[in-house]
Amino acid sequence: MLSNKKKYIVSGNSGIKAQIQFADQKQEFNKRPTKIGRRSLSRSISQSSTDSYSSDSSDDETSPRDKQQKNSKGSSDFCVKNIKQAEFGRREIEIAEQEMPALMALRKRAQGEKPLAGAKIVGCTHITAQTAVLMETLGALGAQCRWAACNIYSTLNEVAAALAESGFPVFAWKGESEDDFWWCIDRCVNVEGWQPNMILDDGGDLTHWIYKKYPNMFKKIKGIVEESVTGVHRLYQLSKAGKLCVPAMNVNDSVTKQKFDNLYCCRESILDGLKRTTDMMFGGKQVVVCGYGEVGKGCCAALKAMGSIVYVTEIDPICALQACMDGFRLVKLNEVIRQVDIVITCTGNKNVVTREHLDRMKNSCIVCNMGHSNTEIDVASLRTPELTWERVRSQVDHVIWPDGKRIVLLAEGRLLNLSCSTVPTFVLSITATTQALALIELYNAPEGRYKQDVYLLPKKMDEYVASLHLPTFDAHLTELTDEQAKYLGLNKNGPFKPNYYRY
């Protein structure tokens, strides 16, 4: 809004010409606020954006671990930011249910049978409204659940409160410390009189903690379901070393996860995360995306559509050729690091962006990560005395060099979309349904069907997950005739593609 010192004059004969005259040409719009002013503004923004429903600022400063909270049933077997936020969280869960048709369908079909009766599931995932729908669906299918967060920034406090109010032992809040993170996982696992028999993991931290601290628990665990690139990589390492104690289901590489959550979800959420944190305009910006897997493909497509100039780095010649054929310039990071406006990592690897790269970036370069783990950007190398960290708003930091150059670091190098924005519920419905079916499959599998190894979800289940979501679009599948099915050598009801088919 223009101040009262500005005067509008509108005139013209054949057309309308608008002039805006500024009475005071010396208005100092570009003058930076003082250091004190910046800090106070950052503090107020950070508090309001991380906890929308908090009514007591002093309460915010108390660690949830130091609070004595009970839900309306008198249970204190949880640790969340503020149990009083439960009503707000319940509304968010109800909104999410509208966009998660497959999970709601599973609930209806489970009214008679309870395929997870007796299952005791310990979970470590992002705690969002969508995860809440999954947890409550698992409960409807007969399971008992205990849950922690797989990311210190992605928990929605009000949703965690709603789950705790409903009787789910949830241990998570937004802005946990590293110590809090492992404490929460331990509170889920180390419970007197409660032994988990299934693991649902996102990133492998829960599996790692049990393996490290409570290895004997694996004697009663029937299986692990893992949904991230990072976690799956860790499982394959255990399997290769002969140390995987139980069967594991690799949900990440199922078609319904790879093609929908990784590709379509990131295609939308990358823009949302960058907009919310930086208010930037994408047109004409130079961006380098490190990695051209499904996540990288989604990010590149979205940024290209918005008019950005996109470069790609890749180690795999097949993915690299795909990037070239899609119209992206394949480069080494060193070649473009001085000129790009945004750096996005999507590799699942470590030290993709090093201190050397960070030193060479231009002023105000935005640096963020879309991979699961926080290892892709060497953030630890930035925590040195010569660099100044300045909090701008929640999940946004300026890291300032001695010469005044600064970069904009988002979510301290952790997962951007779930730390700084939200992701499309419908896509998460696909992933959550895949997770639920994987849990059902491993829990009910007869002894001997699955060895101590890592498996992909059966093709038939992938197709079933997709079919549950088609009614949302009023979509009508074509059915094979007997003659057509015989010609193709297929069952009329699927699976329709061999396991080696690449979608």
Side-chain angles (χ1 to χ4, degrees), residues 182-236:
W182 295 111
W183 179 86
C184 287
I185 288 178
D186 194 68
R187 284 294 303 273
C188 283
V189 175
N190 186 19
V191 189
E192 187 175 349
W194 197 88
Q195 160 74 53
N197 53 27
M198 294 296 294
I199 295 173
L200 178 56
D201 212 351
D202 184 350
D205 288 321
L206 172 60
T207 303
H208 167 77
W209 187 256
I210 295 176
Y211 191 89
K212 178 183 175 183
K213 294 286 186 179
Y214 310 103
N216 287 333
M217 279 191 177
F218 281 110
K219 293 177 181 178
K220 293 188 178 180
I221 289 175
K222 289 190 171 187
I224 302 167
V225 174
E226 171 60 57
E227 76 142 332
S228 78
V229 173
T230 303
V232 164
H233 178 64
R234 295 165 89 171
L235 286 176
Y236 280 120

Side-chain angles (χ1 to χ4, degrees), residues 43-241:
R43 180 176 174 79
S44 64
I45 291 175
S46 177
Q47 285 180 341
S48 64
S49 59
T50 55
D51 197 345
S52 304
Y53 306 112
S54 176
S55 58
D56 184 357
S57 60
S58 63
D59 190 49
D60 285 349
E61 297 171 3
T62 304
S63 169
R65 291 168 62 173
D66 298 329
K67 296 179 184 178
Q68 295 295 323
Q69 300 186 81
K70 291 185 178 181
N71 63 17
S72 61
K73 300 178 182 67
S75 172
S76 59
D77 188 17
F78 62 88
C79 190
V80 299
K81 184 73 172 178
N82 187 351
I83 190 66
K84 295 177 183 178
Q85 297 177 350
E87 185 180 347
F88 292 103
R90 178 52 52 188
R91 294 172 192 169
E92 293 193 30
I93 295 169
E94 289 170 354
I95 291 172
E97 288 175 349
Q98 308 307 310
E99 277 279 286
M100 305 189 83
L103 287 181
M104 304 311 287
L106 284 182
R107 289 188 197 181
K108 289 181 181 178
R109 297 182 186 190
Q111 287 175 351
E113 58 177 307
K114 303 286 184 183
L116 289 176
K120 295 182 178 179
I121 303 170
V122 60
C124 183
T125 66
H126 303 284
I127 296 183
T128 62
Q130 296 81 16
T131 303
V133 178
L134 169 62
M135 291 171 63
E136 292 183 345
T137 299
L138 297 176
L141 296 174
Q144 296 178 28
C145 300
R146 297 181 70 85
W147 229 265
C150 69
N151 183 295
I152 64 174
Y153 292 130
S154 63
T155 298
L156 295 180
N157 287 330
E158 60 273 19
V159 170
L163 286 167
E165 173 59 31
S166 297
F168 286 92
V170 173
F171 300 85
W173 58 93
K174 189 179 183 76
E176 298 169 2
S177 66
E178 287 288 333
D179 181 62
D180 292 334
F181 175 80
W182 295 111
W183 179 86
C184 287
I185 288 178
D186 194 68
R187 284 294 303 273
C188 283
V189 175
N190 186 19
V191 189
E192 187 175 349
W194 197 88
Q195 160 74 53
N197 53 27
M198 294 296 294
I199 295 173
L200 178 56
D201 212 351
D202 184 350
D205 288 321
L206 172 60
T207 303
H208 167 77
W209 187 256
I210 295 176
Y211 191 89
K212 178 183 175 183
K213 294 286 186 179
Y214 310 103
N216 287 333
M217 279 191 177
F218 281 110
K219 293 177 181 178
K220 293 188 178 180
I221 289 175
K222 289 190 171 187
I224 302 167
V225 174
E226 171 60 57
E227 76 142 332
S228 78
V229 173
T230 303
V232 164
H233 178 64
R234 295 165 89 171
L235 286 176
Y236 280 120
Q237 284 181 322
L238 285 174
S239 178
K240 188 175 181 180

Side-chain angles (χ1 to χ4, degrees), residues 216-401:
N216 287 333
M217 279 191 177
F218 281 110
K219 293 177 181 178
K220 293 188 178 180
I221 289 175
K222 289 190 171 187
I224 302 167
V225 174
E226 171 60 57
E227 76 142 332
S228 78
V229 173
T230 303
V232 164
H233 178 64
R234 295 165 89 171
L235 286 176
Y236 280 120
Q237 284 181 322
L238 285 174
S239 178
K240 188 175 181 180
K243 296 180 179 179
L244 187 61
C245 308
V246 296
M249 196 73 81
N250 169 6
V251 167
N252 178 73
D253 291 305
S254 63
V255 178
T256 42
K257 170 68 165 62
Q258 278 279 9
K259 289 295 177 183
F260 297 94
D261 194 334
N262 292 17
L263 176 63
Y264 299 118
C265 174
C266 293
R267 191 173 69 181
E268 296 193 18
S269 60
I270 180 63
L271 301 179
D272 188 20
L274 287 169
K275 278 284 189 188
R276 291 195 196 202
T277 50
T278 66
D279 306 314
M280 70 175 300
M281 187 169 183
F282 300 106
K285 293 292 193 302
Q286 295 193 58
V287 186
V288 59
V289 176
C290 302
Y292 202 68
E294 298 300 327
V295 173
K297 288 180 175 72
C299 292
C300 288
L303 291 160
K304 181 180 180 181
M306 296 301 292
S308 297
I309 302 161
V310 183
Y311 304 96
V312 171
T313 72
E314 203 17 284
I315 60 167
D316 185 327
I318 296 175
C319 292
L321 185 57
Q322 286 180 312
C324 293
M325 296 292 283
D326 287 336
F328 300 109
R329 172 88 184 280
L330 190 76
V331 298
K332 292 183 177 180
L333 188 56
N334 283 333
E335 297 171 4
V336 296
I337 197 64
R338 288 188 183 278
Q339 69 195 61
V340 292
D341 302 292
I342 311 171
V343 178
I344 303 170
T345 54
C346 313
T347 69
N349 204 339
K350 64 180 294 186
N351 293 336
V352 177
V353 176
T354 65
R355 175 62 188 270
E356 181 184 356
H357 294 127
L358 294 159
D359 284 339
R360 294 175 60 205
M361 288 176 186
K362 73 181 196 179
N363 187 46
S364 297
C365 183
I366 297 166
V367 186
C368 62
N369 169 47
M370 283 290 284
H372 174 86
S373 183
N374 64 333
T375 57
E376 301 201 34
I377 302 165
D378 187 9
V379 175
S381 70
L382 297 176
R383 300 191 184 279
T384 53
E386 77 272 14
L387 300 182
T388 302
W389 283 62
E390 186 177 69
R391 177 53 55 98
V392 182
R393 57 172 69 158
S394 178
Q395 317 305 334
V396 183
D397 289 291
H398 282 165
V399 183
I400 307 170
W401 270 250

